[in-house]
Amino acid sequence: MSYKPSHYAQLTPCLVVQDGGKAIDFYDKAFGFQPIDEVVKDEKGAVQYAALKFGESTIMIFPEGSFGPGGKTPKHQGAAPPVSLYLYVPDTDALYARAVAAGAMTILEPHDAFWGDRFCKVSDPDGHEWGFATFKG
């Protein structure tokens, strides 16, 4: 038996969101993430946990207050997130257009970065920052 579920990445960011259901919908429409396990809901039907997958990448989402009072979204805190997510994709420009159409806010438009990636950066509705890149060499 493995030390982790086979369908999870070894490093799995856990993001605090304001509304789990809205976050699942946004991450699907904007980026193409899909739930990989049962979406756990409370007795009122509100999402309390979900694991989402995009290619080889996995994220977990939890709504504010799921594990005590400490977890708040960057947007709720009124601060920039201390960590951003960097995801390689086949077509940075196409994913950027999809994300903005779904409601992501532009931080950096797609451009050829000095380190060799076609890169853009957006913010999701909860204030988490996402960098998308396609390696160009």
Side-chain angles (χ1 to χ4, degrees):
M1 179 183 235
S2 177
Y3 64 95
K4 66 172 190 62
S6 62
H7 54 287
Y8 279 74
Q10 188 172 4
L11 175 64
T12 304
C14 299
L15 303 179
V16 175
V17 298
Q18 288 185 348
D19 182 304
K22 287 181 182 177
I24 290 170
D25 187 51
F26 174 80
Y27 290 137
D28 175 26
K29 287 180 183 171
F31 307 148
F33 276 89
Q34 294 290 307
I36 58 173
D37 286 326
E38 176 185 357
V39 174
V40 178
K41 298 180 180 181
D42 66 15
E43 62 281 348
K44 296 177 185 175
V47 173
Q48 295 301 297
Y49 161 81
L52 309 173
K53 192 162 187 77
F54 177 91
E56 300 170 359
S57 300
T58 306
I59 60 171
M60 293 181 195
I61 60 168
F62 302 92
E64 292 179 327
S66 292
F67 297 101
K72 301 288 183 198
T73 67
K75 183 177 180 179
H76 190 165
Q77 293 181 43
V83 174
S84 64
L85 300 137
Y86 198 100
L87 186 66
Y88 280 99
V89 297
D91 186 339
T92 296
D93 293 86
L95 192 102
Y96 170 79
R98 175 181 178 164
V100 170
M105 300 299 296
T106 300
I107 297 172
L108 290 170
E109 292 184 359
H111 64 285
D112 293 328
F114 68 87
W115 58 88
D117 289 347
R118 180 82 177 153
F119 175 73
C120 72
K121 195 168 189 181
V122 300
S123 177
D124 70 26
D126 289 308
H128 299 288
E129 294 181 1
W130 293 80
F132 295 100
T134 304
F135 180 67
K136 297 293 183 180

